[in-house]
Amino acid sequence: MSRSFVSRKAIYLRAGNRWLYISETDTLHQSAMSTMQVLVCALAILSAVAAQKETHYVPGHDGMVHLFEWKWHDIADECERFLGPIGFGGVQVSPIQENVIVGNRPWWERYQPISYKWHTRSGTADEFREMVRRCNDVGVRIYVDVVFNHMTGNHDNARGTGGSTADTHSFSYPAVPYSVFDFHTPPCGINNYRDPVNIRNCELSGLHDIDQSKEYVREKIVNFLNEAVDAGVAGFRVDAAKHMWPSDLEVIFSRIKNLNTEHHFPSEARPYIFQEVIDYGGEAISKYEYNSFGAVTEFRYGMEISNSMNGNNLLKWFGNWGEAWGLLPSKDAVVFIDNHDTQRGNPNILTYKSSKRYKMAVAFMLAHPYGTARVMSSFDFHSFDANPPQDSAGNLLSPIINPDDTCGNGWVCEHRWRQIYNMVRFRNAANNTDINNWWDNGQNQIAFCRGNAGFIAINGDGYDFKQTLFTCVEPGTYCDVISGNLENNKCTGKVVTVDQDRRAHIEILTNEEDGVLAIHQQAKVKS
């Protein structure tokens, strides 16, 4: 959205997809654009950039969940029966565009587009529009995972989920239509992650690499994104952004429409953009090349927290968690413990398979104000290529909701774990407050407040946590939202009594199911 540079003869300032030109003579003598005009223009640019980083959550809602491979009508039902009432801010949904059908139907076939038609195993275009409407109506925003870095790899007799065909060997995708002229050619494979040109102009895992510098290609992508905006989505997760040139993405994003006011968005609201840029530090391509015109997925976040919960870092060091650790500015970062890629490809990242440590990591993420937090909601898998739950014909199965609100039928649904959804409630209760009264034992037992709204303690040590600590919340009786709920003005889990000086005795024993305790102002028992 904004970029500037100075040449020997002129200053250039970019506003959207326009370059503003100020000559050397103008700047030194009688400028055709006054200093005030330049300032106003610059402020407008900064405003537009900030807007691209606004999630547009409904007041009282926070936290995004990735309902990975869910069907559209199941997402609509989940928004109405669970996500809206709990207070989730939004849902990242799987790619909506038609993908090639791969034998055994692995999860990654969704990331091989064959057209921009809205027809996948998750449902049809009409079903998608209905889902977006129903979710928006209950205060839950929808963010679409979009794939436009590439099309498919080579497949014989390639056919898509909506019936489209392609001659992938000759780069012919008639349902778009794209031809060989719309790709980076001659094709090359990415084989040097120290070379930005190789990374951005060559094929990722053999997937045919689209050339986003071409105007025809940009128009196709923008039309696809604008149709989704018309349907009421709040924004986009941009797959493989690292493999596209920032200057091309800037132009594409600047041409996306404002959000649709018929879906409860304010006028002139810009779509929330968050870009997949894998940067653990020291990469040839940096996350800082992309955060000026949209948010970025902060991969170091989950790695560092997983390291700590796995015993490789001390939790006490997280007292200055955030930019001091080399992370993006908070507003620029989408943060997560695991995602659909890292939970399969990185054995050092915590997932649902290590449930106690994983819940501790997610609780820390949701309690901490840094970044835009995203919770993973998985299906059970035992191999990298494992397909989502499906019937014998390859149709996706719906989650079964158990009496205790957990999921079945092959779905894990971490977002329905009490220890996680109650921390979404904590996040909402503590919104717009900072961290204060940090405490640690010099090792892996930590505690902190969020203003006067909430208090959390985490035991990462191999021995019991028993401390009397200042909790910041007002005196009274509180329910620990990790071990239970506040129901009928009673606690179904641990009870925490806060005395008149706002101190409480906190216990987290090593033999307990969870290594966390959390209280907040909305989980207080009425006297």
Side-chain angles (χ1 to χ4, degrees):
M1 287 292 293
S2 67
R3 185 171 64 184
S4 64
F5 64 90
V6 181
S7 75
R8 292 183 63 189
K9 295 296 182 182
I11 298 173
Y12 298 85
L13 182 66
R14 184 162 188 168
N17 60 349
R18 287 185 58 217
W19 284 104
L20 305 179
Y21 169 90
I22 309 171
S23 73
E24 184 179 74
T25 304
D26 288 337
T27 57
L28 294 176
H29 303 291
Q30 295 180 340
S31 174
M33 180 183 292
S34 70
T35 302
M36 182 60 71
Q37 287 175 306
V38 173
L39 178 60
V40 169
C41 182
L43 289 174
I45 292 167
L46 291 172
S47 176
V49 170
Q52 297 280 157
K53 299 173 186 177
E54 171 56 55
T55 59
H56 307 292
Y57 289 155
V58 172
H61 291 247
D62 204 330
M64 188 185 304
V65 57
H66 183 190
L67 295 182
F68 183 46
E69 288 278 15
W70 281 46
K71 291 187 286 188
W72 305 146
H73 66 79
D74 290 332
I75 294 175
D77 289 345
E78 190 72 349
C79 284
E80 292 172 343
R81 72 192 169 200
F82 189 79
L83 300 177
I86 289 294
F88 276 86
V91 178
Q92 178 185 318
V93 303
S94 290
I96 62 176
Q97 72 250 47
E98 182 185 18
N99 60 268
V100 71
I101 297 172
V102 178
N104 297 322
R105 312 307 300 270
W107 64 270
W108 44 259
E109 76 169 35
R110 291 290 285 263
Y111 292 87
Q112 294 200 26
I114 200 169
S115 81
Y116 294 134
K117 295 177 182 177
W118 298 2
H119 197 124
T120 68
R121 288 205 286 176
S122 291
T124 65
D126 286 343
E127 289 170 333
F128 179 79
R129 291 187 178 93
E130 174 70 5
M131 176 268 289
V132 175
R133 181 191 63 77
R134 288 171 61 187
C135 289
N136 276 326
D137 284 349
V138 294
V140 182
R141 301 308 196 188
I142 299 298
Y143 307 89
V144 178
D145 195 351
V146 289
V147 187
F148 55 79
N149 169 69
H150 55 262
M151 298 298 282
T152 69
N154 279 330
H155 298 271
D156 296 333
N157 304 312
R159 180 173 296 275
T161 46
S164 299
T165 59
D167 182 351
T168 59
H169 295 280
S170 63
F171 294 76
S172 175
Y173 296 85
V176 179
Y178 281 151
S179 71
V180 68
F181 301 107
D182 302 310
F183 295 83
H184 285 120
T185 54
C188 52
I190 296 176
N191 55 21
N192 182 3
Y193 272 87
R194 303 308 305 167
D195 179 3
V197 175
N198 180 255
I199 294 169
R200 289 168 171 151
N201 287 358
C202 294
E203 294 186 346
L204 173 66
S205 301
L207 303 172
H208 297 327
D209 200 65
I210 303 168
D211 186 349
Q212 293 82 19
S213 70
K214 296 186 175 181
E215 185 58 30
Y216 173 80
V217 169
R218 290 175 175 177
E219 289 177 0
K220 288 296 180 183
I221 294 169
V222 170
N223 289 342
F224 164 61
L225 299 175
N226 277 338
E227 190 176 359
V229 168
D230 288 340
V233 307
F236 304 97
R237 181 258 185 190
V238 180
D239 183 70
K242 174 179 182 174
H243 297 278
M244 293 178 276
W245 292 97
S247 56
D248 294 334
L249 291 178
E250 266 192 287
V251 173
I252 290 168
F253 298 161
S254 73
R255 295 180 182 178
I256 304 174
K257 292 180 178 180
N258 291 339
L259 298 181
N260 189 340
T261 56
E262 294 179 5
H263 288 266
H264 316 292
F265 294 107
S267 60
E268 300 184 4
R270 300 292 295 147
Y272 181 58
I273 303 290
F274 57 109
Q275 306 160 89
E276 185 200 22
V277 180
I278 301 174
D279 178 8
Y280 289 104
E283 310 273 351
I285 290 175
S286 168
K287 58 197 175 188
Y288 298 104
E289 296 179 61
Y290 294 84
N291 69 318
S292 65
F293 51 88
V296 175
T297 50
E298 181 52 272
F299 277 78
R300 281 196 63 189
Y301 189 98
M303 180 190 73
E304 297 288 3
I305 294 179
S306 293
N307 268 340
S308 182
M309 296 301 175
N310 282 325
N312 299 320
N313 279 337
L314 293 178
L315 277 176
K316 72 167 187 176
W317 293 338
F318 285 82
N320 65 343
W321 183 233
E323 285 187 70
W325 284 64
L327 304 183
L328 289 160
S330 180
K331 189 69 174 177
D332 299 356
V334 170
V335 300
F336 48 94
I337 303 304
D338 61 333
N339 73 358
H340 65 282
D341 285 315
T342 62
Q343 67 178 192
R344 289 162 173 78
N346 189 335
N348 298 315
I349 295 293
L350 286 171
T351 73
Y352 74 90
K353 295 176 184 284
S354 303
S355 62
K356 182 173 183 176
R357 284 173 289 149
Y358 182 72
K359 287 180 287 187
M360 292 165 65
V362 175
F364 179 85
M365 175 182 74
L366 293 172
H368 200 285
Y370 173 86
T372 297
R374 182 183 63 193
V375 172
M376 184 67 198
S377 189
S378 315
F379 58 81
D380 189 35
F381 68 93
H382 299 281
S383 67
F384 182 87
D385 293 336
N387 51 260
Q390 61 185 31
D391 63 21
S392 58
N395 300 306
L396 293 178
L397 297 177
S398 297
I400 291 174
I401 307 303
N402 299 317
D404 64 355
D405 284 336
T406 60
C407 285
N409 218 22
W411 299 92
V412 177
C413 299
E414 297 96 317
H415 72 284
R416 278 180 165 268
W417 293 359
R418 180 190 63 250
Q419 299 88 342
I420 291 178
Y421 71 71
N422 269 347
M423 286 307 299
V424 171
R425 287 171 163 162
F426 179 105
R427 191 173 185 86
N428 281 312
N431 221 334
N432 299 316
T433 64
D434 295 324
I435 285 179
N436 51 298
N437 287 88
W438 175 278
W439 173 92
D440 63 67
N441 70 340
Q443 297 292 319
N444 295 300
Q445 294 180 353
I446 63 171
F448 59 86
C449 301
R450 288 290 305 276
N452 296 326
F455 168 87
I456 185 170
I458 299 175
N459 184 9
D461 276 332
Y463 51 89
D464 293 343
F465 186 128
K466 294 182 178 181
Q467 296 285 340
T468 298
L469 299 173
F470 187 71
T471 67
C472 306
V473 299
E474 64 182 25
T477 301
Y478 291 81
C479 299
D480 166 35
V481 298
I482 299 297
S483 59
N485 292 309
L486 172 62
E487 296 178 4
N488 300 318
N489 205 38
K490 294 181 180 179
C491 301
T492 63
K494 289 183 181 180
V495 176
V496 178
T497 302
V498 178
D499 62 23
Q500 289 302 310
D501 62 0
R502 304 198 176 204
R503 296 171 67 82
H505 183 69
I506 307 299
E507 286 195 359
I508 308 172
L509 308 182
T510 55
N511 62 358
E512 293 178 341
E513 178 184 0
D514 296 303
V516 183
L517 178 146
I519 58 176
H520 60 81
Q521 58 188 350
Q522 294 174 11
K524 184 183 180 186
V525 177
K526 295 179 181 178
S527 56

